[in-house]
Amino acid sequence: MFNYIRYLICLVVILSLANQVTIAQDTLTLEQCVQLAMEQNLDVQQARIRTESQGIDLRQAKHNLLPDLNARLSHDFQVGRNIDPETNQYLDNVTTRSGSQGLSSSMVLFDGLRMFRSITQQAYSYRATQLDEQYAREQVALNVTGAYIQALAARDVVAQVDSLTAVTRRRVERSTVLFEQGAASPGDYYDLKGQYANDLNSLNDAKNRFNEELVNLFRLINLPYNAEVELTSLQELPLDDSGVSTGEQLYATAAERLGIIKAVENWEQAARFGLKAARSSYLPSLAVGAGLGSSYIHGNGPYIEQVQDRIGRNLGFTLSIPILNRLQVRNNVARAKLDLLNAENVARAQHNELQQTTSQVLFNLDAAKERYTNLVDQVAHYTESFRIAEVRFEAGAINSVEFLIAKNKMDNANASLIIARYQWHLRQRILAYYNGEMLVSAR
């Protein structure tokens, strides 16, 4: 038995280690990151909880139409002077045991349509929270996409800086040999060594930046940080055809497909029916109630017979007419009016913000594309300039300062080109989001 338990423990340990190795060597794609965020992100989970809570409120609003049903059971002990329940006369120094039981039910027949309007209000609120959840999921998907692309850009910058640092290191190694043989200028030699130290610092900064972007990505998908994860690269260049020509078209598409506009419109409708429900309290209400009751006295015969003989039935109607209730209804109506005004203002502001954002999205995409095109030409020019400077430096026609200036220009242009390429990717994905091509619906 002991050997069997030890075998199970070893098996669990081995499987755990294997799972850790698998996670450590895992590769994440953009789609996997988005899916993980939909399952793990805290904002998405909280939005889901709010939706479920609002669904409970809607069910309760519907259940309020049902009649209530209550049972009652009591048993009393009376010692000393008290009234005889049977003869209704006073008795001295006696102990009486008695009890009663009953069943009652009531139902609202009319309340100014307040409950029906409350149901409609809760239905709009429930739909609004569903759309809020959808919007939260859409925003998280967009944020994860941005973080993923930023991490890829930082990773490629690390590779670029590492490659350039290796070039500088080989040149320093060659210059060291020449310097030791007396064939290299001390000034040029120490300039190259200083440049190498600067490249090492740039490489360290690039690695730190990549780690920060990777941590941010794991924060969004709400998983422990794993430095060994490999991110799958995107296509070389984003697609140039957006399918959208004007900001008005993009705004119309975004308003139709994204959750945010539909959500505020439903919140506005919910506030409108909330005002109607509040005004319903000005009207009278009518309710009906019915019940069964019985009692018994200890010592007056069998319990069942007493209960059967003393059964009483009742049926009644209650008409409640509001006259003065400390102006509560009036104040509730005033609050409902303010809620409606606030919902209308929020809806109007959201429409304006979306219109402004969609216009800016197109501007940003055009700017990112133009910047990338210009940087491609700049890299080509600076690369050729550096090639010429390298030849002239080897020939002794220029000093190390001019050579390093040409090198730094080329290095900075290459790093800027990497960032610009991913910025173009990101702007294209943002456009796809507002164009309804990155929709993440609620559950």
Side-chain angles (χ1 to χ4, degrees), residues 8-163:
L8 288 179
I9 295 176
C10 293
L11 181 61
V12 170
V13 172
I14 293 173
L15 291 177
S16 300
L17 293 176
N19 184 52
Q20 292 179 359
V21 172
T22 301
I23 295 176
Q25 296 178 350
D26 197 11
T27 299
L28 285 177
T29 64
L30 175 57
E31 291 73 18
Q32 288 174 334
C33 289
V34 172
Q35 183 61 37
L36 286 171
M38 295 302 100
E39 300 170 357
Q40 304 288 339
N41 185 269
L42 182 60
D43 291 338
V44 173
Q45 292 176 351
Q46 290 178 334
R48 184 181 303 128
I49 291 173
R50 287 192 294 269
T51 300
E52 294 178 355
S53 176
Q54 194 64 51
I56 295 174
D57 293 340
L58 175 58
R59 290 199 300 271
Q60 184 59 58
K62 293 178 179 179
H63 294 162
N64 289 339
L65 296 174
L66 302 176
D68 62 1
L69 181 64
N70 299 286
R72 173 181 54 82
L73 183 65
S74 67
H75 187 78
D76 301 323
F77 292 89
Q78 296 178 343
V79 180
R81 181 179 174 84
N82 54 69
I83 297 177
D84 188 340
E86 189 72 19
T87 64
N88 204 31
Q89 295 179 351
Y90 281 101
L91 300 176
D92 294 324
N93 300 324
V94 298
T95 300
T96 303
R97 287 180 290 175
S98 62
S100 62
Q101 51 276 320
L103 192 67
S104 62
S105 177
S106 64
M107 180 178 180
V108 176
L109 299 179
F110 177 77
D111 64 347
L113 302 179
R114 182 184 59 83
M115 287 192 293
F116 286 101
R117 289 168 175 171
S118 295
I119 291 174
T120 306
Q121 178 191 10
Q122 293 298 332
Y124 277 115
S125 298
Y126 178 56
R127 180 56 182 160
T129 52
Q130 286 181 316
L131 292 167
D132 282 340
E133 180 185 348
Q134 176 184 329
Y135 178 65
R137 294 163 69 88
E138 291 167 352
Q139 284 296 106
V140 168
L142 185 61
N143 293 337
V144 169
T145 299
Y148 189 92
I149 291 176
Q150 295 290 354
L152 287 180
R155 184 193 66 181
D156 286 4
V157 168
V158 170
Q160 175 72 17
V161 175
D162 185 52
S163 176

Side-chain angles (χ1 to χ4, degrees), residues 59-306:
R59 290 199 300 271
Q60 184 59 58
K62 293 178 179 179
H63 294 162
N64 289 339
L65 296 174
L66 302 176
D68 62 1
L69 181 64
N70 299 286
R72 173 181 54 82
L73 183 65
S74 67
H75 187 78
D76 301 323
F77 292 89
Q78 296 178 343
V79 180
R81 181 179 174 84
N82 54 69
I83 297 177
D84 188 340
E86 189 72 19
T87 64
N88 204 31
Q89 295 179 351
Y90 281 101
L91 300 176
D92 294 324
N93 300 324
V94 298
T95 300
T96 303
R97 287 180 290 175
S98 62
S100 62
Q101 51 276 320
L103 192 67
S104 62
S105 177
S106 64
M107 180 178 180
V108 176
L109 299 179
F110 177 77
D111 64 347
L113 302 179
R114 182 184 59 83
M115 287 192 293
F116 286 101
R117 289 168 175 171
S118 295
I119 291 174
T120 306
Q121 178 191 10
Q122 293 298 332
Y124 277 115
S125 298
Y126 178 56
R127 180 56 182 160
T129 52
Q130 286 181 316
L131 292 167
D132 282 340
E133 180 185 348
Q134 176 184 329
Y135 178 65
R137 294 163 69 88
E138 291 167 352
Q139 284 296 106
V140 168
L142 185 61
N143 293 337
V144 169
T145 299
Y148 189 92
I149 291 176
Q150 295 290 354
L152 287 180
R155 184 193 66 181
D156 286 4
V157 168
V158 170
Q160 175 72 17
V161 175
D162 185 52
S163 176
L164 297 174
T165 302
V167 172
T168 305
R169 183 180 66 251
R170 289 192 294 269
R171 182 163 292 279
V172 168
E173 292 171 352
R174 180 181 178 186
S175 297
T176 300
V177 175
L178 295 176
F179 177 73
E180 292 175 350
Q181 295 175 353
S185 168
D188 292 342
Y189 171 67
Y190 288 111
D191 275 345
L192 287 175
K193 293 198 68 174
Q195 180 63 39
Y196 180 58
N198 181 72
D199 288 352
L200 289 176
N201 284 332
S202 297
L203 179 59
N204 183 63
D205 292 340
K207 290 180 178 178
N208 185 60
R209 176 67 177 174
F210 171 62
N211 288 331
E212 290 177 354
E213 296 294 347
L214 200 58
V215 168
N216 183 47
L217 177 61
F218 276 96
R219 182 180 295 112
L220 286 172
I221 61 180
N222 197 22
L223 288 178
Y225 172 69
N226 183 3
E228 303 300 324
V229 162
E230 293 290 335
L231 302 181
T232 303
S233 299
L234 302 175
Q235 60 188 21
E236 184 64 22
L237 287 175
L239 297 176
D240 193 22
D241 183 14
S242 63
V244 177
S245 58
T246 64
E248 289 76 10
Q249 292 178 347
L250 184 59
Y251 166 71
T253 301
E256 175 64 26
R257 298 184 180 181
L258 297 183
I260 181 61
I261 297 299
K262 297 177 184 177
V264 295
E265 290 175 349
N266 277 270
W267 283 121
E268 184 179 351
Q269 288 293 334
R272 184 166 287 108
F273 276 91
L275 176 58
K276 292 181 179 181
R279 284 173 173 167
S280 297
S281 297
Y282 282 127
L283 301 176
S285 62
L286 178 63
V288 60
L292 291 173
S294 184
S295 63
Y296 67 92
I297 301 174
H298 181 70
N300 284 16
Y303 171 78
I304 298 298
E305 292 181 2
Q306 291 189 64

